[in-house]
Amino acid sequence: MGSLLCFSLIAFLLVLHPCFAKKTYIVHVKHHQKPSSYSTHHDWYDAQLKSLSSSSSSSNSESLLYSYDTAYPGFAASLDSHEAELLRQSDDVVGVYEDTVYTLHTTRTPEFLGLDNQLGVWAGHTQQELNSAAQDVIIGVLDTGVWPESKSFSDVGMPDVPSRWRGECESGPDFDPKVHCNKKLIGARFFAKGYRMSSSSSFTNQPRQPESPRDQDGHGTHTASTAAGAPVGNASLLGYASGIARGMAPRARVATYKVCWPTGCFGSDILAGMDRAILDGVDVLSLSLGGGSGPYYRDTIAIGGFSAMEKGIVVSCSAGNSGPAKASLANTAPWIMTVGAGTIDRDFPAYAVLGNGKNIIGVSLYSGKGMGKKLVSLVYNTDSSSSLCLPGSLNPKDVRGKIVVCDRGTNARVEKGLVVKEAGGVGMILANTVESGEELVADSHLLPAVAVGRKLGNVIRQYVKSERNPTAVLSFGGTVVNVKPSPVVAAFSSRGPNTVTPQILKPDLIGPGVNILAAWSEAIGPTGLEKDTRRTKFNIMSGTSMSCPHISGLAALLKAAHPEWSPSAIKSALMTTAYNRDTTNSPLRDAEGDQLSTPWAHGAGHVDPHKALSPGLVYDIRPEEYIKFLCSLDYEMDHIQAIVKRPNVTCAKKFSDPGQINYPSFAVLFGKSRVVRYTRTLTNVGAAGSTYEVVIDAPPSVTVTVKPSKLVFKRVGERLRYTVTFVSKKGVSTMSKTTFGSISWNNAQNQVRSPVSYSWSQLFN
């Protein structure tokens, strides 16, 4: 017994010791130096790992987790730190990087975007023609998997699966491909080796999730159905937002790739999912996840996305939910569509009537028993943890039988409600602070709860502070539509500038991302909390996770209408036709501070599907131009090859400035020179004989000149160039605040608009 205990203790210490603890590493190999003696790269990688065994105490028989084919030049392996260091010393290895954990960026929208069934003609395409063409388009969704029983994945009326499809549905303990896949849901895979490695080396009490394509979280089902869900009548979240729920491209095919698990989305699994999706033959890749920003050669999604772009696949990614902080973007590579979030014209009003008679309007998705009309005591604790309603922060003696005011921030909004409920509170008012401003996000709370903006939140806080016996009662108003103004940029939506490449303006555009109804996993309640025993077929969620699949679905529609268009042409069409005025015909506003929005928040503007189908002109970018862009960043050649994955890449041709790439927007950075000059090329995808004239909107501190000022396209597909010169006027301080403008090419049918940002310092005031 004693020797067994001693052995167990030694084994435990070996796991804890950094020299022996196994971790997942992604290994960048000089892909094109594979010796001819190995028939495959997989065999070569396996041999490299086995060669470590002579100088390592551990077995390498199961070290190779993934061998990547197209998305990355290398492999993922389970290694200890000593083995990782030995690999770094190999002449065949460029770099060995510890696995990165990415996070998820968590039915009214078709009508809001003009995609209802009574659509009529779309730029020469009837809705029936577009739906028919979309049946050949396949959207790959990398997320938490899929709940296949959802009616959103019904294949009623769908023709046979496209013959070019090379994907499949994988089996699991709770997933039968013969039962759960069909002509709509044509692929369902899972990638868990990075997650499994992390789980086995950690000492958390969290149970391991069954390894299968099934969605136990809800997020993946929501995003997949937002992109391409089939129409489902009488959809609602417990009575809220009742109506027909359908995706942006309801006749497109769906393939899901489960790469996210309870502890996060591991880079090794994401790369494997992207690798497989490219080989399977998807047309659009949708990723509602991301991490921090860094060099593109260290960015898993950027590297996999480049391979996808080269194969003609549109890659759509969420911008992140770290707003309103500046420079908070994820997924900033120029070959990726970076999507921010805005509101739609639907709301869920709720009310808090204070004891002094003041009626406070907020939002809520609470669907349980109401509070009645009797006023109850209202309490607000100014202690930081108590004011935030963090777990364990509330004293039941102080809150039992009362409504509690909780500050928004730090922990999940729905968790605050649970904290109040478990402490004996009967209701909650969730009050915004400066960070979230006037942005209102409705939640399906476990107790009566109303969310209010910062200004009204301050009114309530002041009332509680000044009144001897403050009271309130909460009530709920259901669903209302045609809310104005809309859209408004969500405060949580991550903002520019782009810190990786300041000369590329990001985000690219915004789409609907607040209070979005879509399909849900019946393995979990609508709040996602363990103690939420409710089950629902649909849920309402907010985040750039929700706006991303809107754009993915619209990209699929454009792919169906224009199969010859490149990913950059599709991106250009979506960006240059985006609108910048809301439903009151005022400039787009920002929920943060209730102020005017800027392209750092909304990019080119809010997506307009109708106009995107017929943009007139597009800014096309060939893969070779992206290589010239990468060369302008002064990366080492090995790092460029990690992204490009070609043996003979050189930087003989490169841009002198990354901003020279043919991007549909401009980010002008005045550094040592007062003059910045860029040349762009426009391709005519409209009618032959089209003429466009330039319209410039510039701030007083900058002079903008465009030559020529008129473009005459004699034929379809013709490419014409123009040069734009930006001059910072004399006397403008390098500490000047960033300003914005636009350059548009207009005729009677089209306005091809590009936003422009002007900065005088990389400090980005």
Side-chain angles (χ1 to χ4, degrees), residues 2-307:
S3 61
L4 180 62
L5 181 65
C6 180
F7 176 80
S8 299
L9 181 62
I10 291 171
F12 180 73
L13 291 173
L14 285 175
V15 170
L16 285 184
H17 194 281
C19 289
F20 297 99
K22 290 273 190 176
K23 293 181 181 178
T24 302
Y25 291 87
I26 296 176
V27 183
H28 173 196
V29 177
K30 293 178 180 176
H31 196 61
H32 306 283
Q33 293 187 9
K34 178 183 73 67
S36 57
S37 56
Y38 296 104
S39 58
T40 67
H41 281 89
H42 180 92
D43 292 342
W44 182 36
Y45 301 154
D46 192 47
Q48 286 179 303
L49 290 174
K50 286 176 179 174
S51 71
L52 301 177
S53 59
S54 60
S55 50
S56 172
S57 59
S58 60
S59 168
N60 285 282
S61 59
E62 297 182 0
S63 292
L64 184 58
L65 303 180
Y66 295 113
S67 176
Y68 303 119
D69 289 313
T70 61
Y72 190 82
F75 59 91
S78 169
L79 307 167
D80 61 39
S81 59
H82 176 61
E83 292 167 332
E85 189 53 42
L86 287 174
L87 272 179
R88 287 189 183 99
Q89 294 170 15
S90 168
D91 291 337
D92 296 323
V93 173
V94 177
V96 180
Y97 311 113
E98 198 171 319
D99 205 0
T100 305
V101 183
Y102 293 75
T103 56
L104 295 165
H105 291 149
T106 201
T107 53
R108 174 72 185 159
T109 46
E111 289 86 348
F112 179 65
L113 291 172
L115 297 179
D116 53 6
N117 287 320
Q118 288 72 44
L119 196 58
V121 177
W122 272 40
H125 300 269
T126 66
Q127 181 71 49
Q128 187 175 4
E129 289 170 344
L130 206 55
N131 282 339
S132 177
Q135 293 173 158
D136 290 328
V137 180
I138 303 161
I139 303 176
V141 182
L142 272 70
D143 213 295
T144 64
V146 65
W147 190 261
E149 291 85 356
S150 171
K151 291 182 179 178
S152 293
F153 305 112
S154 167
D155 67 350
V156 173
M158 295 286 288
D160 289 342
V161 176
S163 58
R164 64 184 173 84
W165 176 241
R166 297 182 294 277
E168 65 179 50
C169 289
E170 298 175 352
S171 62
D174 53 6
F175 200 97
D176 183 348
K178 294 180 181 178
V179 174
H180 293 130
C181 285
N182 55 28
K183 290 183 282 189
K184 174 69 172 179
L185 180 63
I186 64 173
R189 298 183 185 271
F190 65 95
F191 301 86
K193 293 178 180 178
Y195 160 66
R196 190 188 308 153
M197 188 63 216
S198 170
S199 299
S200 64
S201 62
S202 65
F203 294 92
T204 63
N205 293 322
Q206 194 165 21
R208 279 266 297 276
Q209 195 177 100
E211 293 182 9
S212 91
R214 182 170 290 278
D215 182 10
Q216 304 286 344
D217 178 273
H219 190 277
T221 300
H222 199 282
T223 56
S225 62
T226 297
V232 181
N234 299 315
S236 74
L237 167 61
L238 305 171
Y240 284 100
S242 181
I244 297 175
R246 65 187 190 88
M248 297 296 98
R251 301 291 287 177
R253 318 291 180 141
V254 176
T256 63
Y257 299 81
K258 184 173 180 177
V259 297
C260 296
W261 303 87
T263 51
C265 318
F266 293 85
S268 54
D269 294 334
I270 294 170
L271 267 180
M274 295 182 83
D275 199 55
R276 193 64 252 176
I278 294 167
L279 293 171
D280 284 347
V282 303
D283 300 295
V284 178
L285 267 177
S286 187
L287 293 90
S288 289
L289 52 92
S293 58
Y296 299 128
Y297 59 83
R298 291 295 312 276
D299 185 336
T300 297
I301 297 172
I303 294 171
F306 192 96
S307 296

Side-chain angles (χ1 to χ4, degrees), residues 253-523:
R253 318 291 180 141
V254 176
T256 63
Y257 299 81
K258 184 173 180 177
V259 297
C260 296
W261 303 87
T263 51
C265 318
F266 293 85
S268 54
D269 294 334
I270 294 170
L271 267 180
M274 295 182 83
D275 199 55
R276 193 64 252 176
I278 294 167
L279 293 171
D280 284 347
V282 303
D283 300 295
V284 178
L285 267 177
S286 187
L287 293 90
S288 289
L289 52 92
S293 58
Y296 299 128
Y297 59 83
R298 291 295 312 276
D299 185 336
T300 297
I301 297 172
I303 294 171
F306 192 96
S307 296
M309 174 275 300
E310 283 197 296
K311 298 288 193 299
I313 300 167
V314 179
V315 183
S316 171
C317 296
S318 47
N321 296 343
S322 300
K326 289 180 181 177
S328 52
L329 291 165
N331 302 318
T332 59
W335 49 87
I336 285 174
M337 177 80 78
T338 311
V339 187
T343 64
I344 61 173
D345 63 344
R346 180 179 61 199
D347 217 343
F348 309 101
Y351 310 94
V353 178
L354 306 182
N356 61 6
K358 190 166 184 64
N359 187 22
I360 304 292
I361 302 176
V363 297
S364 182
L365 291 170
Y366 174 69
S367 58
K369 185 179 178 182
M371 292 187 66
K373 297 182 179 179
K374 185 180 178 181
L375 292 164
V376 299
S377 294
L378 184 65
V379 61
Y380 174 63
N381 295 305
T382 54
D383 172 75
S384 60
S385 61
S386 297
S387 70
L388 287 164
C389 300
L390 300 178
S393 66
L394 299 180
N395 187 337
K397 293 180 181 179
D398 298 331
V399 305
R400 187 174 289 116
K402 300 177 181 178
I403 296 172
V404 182
V405 179
C406 300
D407 291 342
R408 182 174 167 182
T410 305
N411 60 329
R413 300 181 302 271
V414 290
E415 184 182 60
K416 296 175 190 289
L418 179 62
V419 169
V420 172
K421 183 178 182 180
E422 292 187 332
V426 297
M428 175 181 72
I429 297 175
L430 181 62
N432 284 3
T433 58
V434 174
E435 286 73 25
S436 44
E438 300 307 312
E439 171 188 78
L440 295 180
V441 179
D443 295 295
S444 183
H445 290 283
L446 292 171
L447 85 170
V450 177
V452 300
R454 180 181 65 88
K455 293 175 184 175
L456 290 177
N458 286 341
V459 170
I460 297 170
R461 294 180 186 101
Q462 185 59 36
Y463 167 71
V464 176
K465 183 179 178 181
S466 60
E467 189 73 22
R468 180 174 293 181
N469 295 306
T471 58
V473 65
L474 310 180
S475 61
F476 306 92
T479 305
V480 298
V481 295
N482 298 318
V483 173
K484 294 182 180 182
S486 60
V488 175
V489 179
F492 61 72
S493 189
S494 288
R495 313 301 166 97
N498 177 353
T499 56
V500 184
T501 317
Q503 297 88 346
I504 302 294
L505 180 58
K506 292 278 184 170
D508 290 314
L509 79 177
I510 62 170
V514 178
N515 297 334
I516 304 302
L517 179 77
W520 191 246
S521 168
E522 293 182 59

